[in-house]
């Protein structure tokens, strides 16, 4: 890996020289636009919409058009006068509980590697973050832009996760979520059974990008001059239309059990609890009815005893 930035993490009077590396990469296959007839590469020319002339790169500028149609042009000098920090510091502002940082704010991930002489303060910061279960909120200037970020620990390395600014996150304003929906207890119990049937530990290595793999095989087959094998269609396992939510949940639980090799007689934990509670509830109901019947019959029995004693007298 090649470092994209060099600087220092600064917290209090402690400074930790580090190098920054991009922690992620995309595995997408990139294509060029070509002429379908002969495969020639397509070139895009920069032309002016007013005079139609081609514009050289050194004559380009950045323009902003307002919603009402006004246009302003910003020069290199305008950008140079902006108050952008040019210091090579990752400035720690505060340390916050890890659970307070909403993952929706996470943007891009970088690894921080310490210089050899800064190994001890680097490990000191790493152990402090781990022991306190906190993240360091920092500000850093990357690629001519000030960025908010957090420092957290992943395995043995300190990770810098850049964040979106709060106004870059859209509010979830959906009217349908404000509608009250009645959820039946049977549906909730079956949904919990489905969750338990599919419960497991997250291991990302067990997942595969099947689309990219198929696309790679297609490209390699074409490079070899052979016809690609047709992709097999996945069997969804559905044979008919699902008529209601409860039926869909029941079918989903059955499919999940079959996928895990469980027998049809076995039930997930929530379903077993519900099934165990059902006989007990039935017994309690029967006992209450019997008690009520005895209470109602008690006055009649007392009246019959009094009548019998009068006749004998």
């Amino acid at each position: 890996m090649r470092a994209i930035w060099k600087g220092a993490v600064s917290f209090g009077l402690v400074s930790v020289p580090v190098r920054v590396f991009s922690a992620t990469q995309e595995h997408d296959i990139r294509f060029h636009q070509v002429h379908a007839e002969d495969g020639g590469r397509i070139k895009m020319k920069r032309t002016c919409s007013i005079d139609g002339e081609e514009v050289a790169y050194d004559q380009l500028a950045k323009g902003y058009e307002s919603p009402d149609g006004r246009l302003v042009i910003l020069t290199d000098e305008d950008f140079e006068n902006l108050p952008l920090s040019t210091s090579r510091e990752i400035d720690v502002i505060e340390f916050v509980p890890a659970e307070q940082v909403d993952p929706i704010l996470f943007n891009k991930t970088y690894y921080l590697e310490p210089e050899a002489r800064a190994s001890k303060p680097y490990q000191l910061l790493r152990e402090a973050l781990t022991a306190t279960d906190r993240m360091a909120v920092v500000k850093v200037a990357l690629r001519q832009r000030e960025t908010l970020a957090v420092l957290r620990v992943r395995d043995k390395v300190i990770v810098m996760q850049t964040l979106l600014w709060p106004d870059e996150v859209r509010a979830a304003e959906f009217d349908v979520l404000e509608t009250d929906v009645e959820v039946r207890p049977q549906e909730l119990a079956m949904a919990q059974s489905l969750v338990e049937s599919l419960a497991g530990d997250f291991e990302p290595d067990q997942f595969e990008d099947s689309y990219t793999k198929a696309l790679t095989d297609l490209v390699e087959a074409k490079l070899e001059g052979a016809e690609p094998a047709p992709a097999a269609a996945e069997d969804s396992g559905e044979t008919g239309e699902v008529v209601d939510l409860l039926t869909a949940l029941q079918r989903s639980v059955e499919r999940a059990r079959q996928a895990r090799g469980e027998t049809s007689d076995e039930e997930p934990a929530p379903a077993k609890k519900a099934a165990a509670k059902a006989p007990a509830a039935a017994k309690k109901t029967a006992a209450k009815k019997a008690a009520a019947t005895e209470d109602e019959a008690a006055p009649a029995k007392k009246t019959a005893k009094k009548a019998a004693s009068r006749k004998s007298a």
Side-chain angles (χ1 to χ4, degrees), residues 20-298:
V20 177
F21 298 84
S22 181
T24 59
Q25 62 182 7
E26 295 180 355
H27 57 206
D28 293 341
I29 298 177
R30 301 190 180 278
F31 296 96
H32 301 294
Q33 287 187 332
V34 298
H35 189 192
E37 291 187 3
D38 54 19
R41 291 281 296 271
I42 303 300
K43 296 183 178 180
M44 302 297 180
K45 292 184 178 181
R46 296 181 294 269
T47 58
C48 177
S49 62
I50 296 177
D51 58 21
E53 296 293 328
E54 186 173 354
V55 181
Y57 184 80
D58 59 0
Q59 295 180 354
L60 296 178
K62 291 183 173 65
Y64 173 80
E65 185 174 352
S66 65
D68 58 4
R70 290 175 297 164
L71 177 69
V72 293
I73 297 177
L74 302 180
T75 64
D76 292 340
E77 291 76 15
D78 293 327
F79 286 103
E80 290 174 359
N81 293 329
L82 291 177
L84 175 65
S85 173
T86 57
S87 65
R88 289 282 177 171
E89 277 194 354
I90 301 174
D91 187 22
V92 176
I93 302 171
E94 59 183 356
F95 296 91
V96 301
E99 66 273 9
Q100 289 185 2
V101 182
D102 191 339
I104 198 174
L105 294 171
F106 290 159
N107 192 8
K108 190 167 176 56
T109 309
Y110 300 91
Y111 291 140
L112 302 187
E113 180 196 31
E115 293 186 5
R117 59 188 175 89
S119 178
K120 185 173 182 178
Y122 181 93
Q123 292 188 32
L124 180 65
L125 175 59
R126 183 188 66 194
E127 296 304 318
L129 291 174
T130 303
T132 59
D133 193 23
R134 288 178 177 265
M135 294 183 180
V137 179
V138 303
K139 271 189 176 183
V140 60
L142 289 176
R143 295 169 180 166
Q144 297 183 339
R145 183 182 178 186
E146 187 177 57
T147 304
L148 190 66
V150 292
L151 303 184
R152 61 184 181 87
V153 178
R154 184 179 189 271
D155 298 330
K156 293 184 177 181
V157 66
I158 295 178
V159 171
M160 181 173 71
Q161 195 101 37
T162 60
L163 302 178
L164 299 172
W165 295 99
D167 61 354
E168 293 179 315
V169 178
R170 295 176 176 177
E173 298 175 347
F174 305 111
D175 294 337
V176 67
L177 299 180
E178 304 301 326
T179 305
D180 292 333
V181 178
E182 182 180 358
V183 178
R184 293 184 294 171
Q186 303 96 316
E187 295 172 339
L188 181 57
M190 192 58 64
Q192 292 173 344
S193 298
L194 177 58
V195 171
E196 291 296 331
S197 298
L198 298 174
D201 295 324
F202 180 60
E203 298 177 3
D205 291 338
Q206 67 180 338
F207 301 101
E208 183 183 37
D209 186 350
S210 56
Y211 175 81
T212 299
K213 182 179 183 303
L215 184 59
T216 302
D217 293 341
L218 173 64
V219 171
E220 290 178 352
K222 281 186 172 291
L223 289 174
E224 294 175 0
E227 288 295 328
E234 295 185 2
D235 182 14
S236 64
E238 293 294 334
T239 58
E241 183 181 357
V242 177
V243 293
D244 58 51
L245 179 60
L246 187 57
T247 302
L249 291 170
Q250 289 173 339
R251 292 183 186 178
S252 299
V253 171
E254 291 172 0
R255 287 176 58 188
R257 288 208 301 263
Q258 291 174 0
R260 293 195 171 208
E262 299 177 3
T263 62
S264 58
D265 295 334
E266 295 180 1
E267 291 182 274
K272 288 181 179 179
K273 292 180 181 178
K277 289 180 180 179
K283 289 180 179 179
K284 289 183 180 179
T285 303
K288 288 182 179 179
K289 290 182 177 179
T293 303
E294 290 179 359
D295 292 341
E296 292 176 357

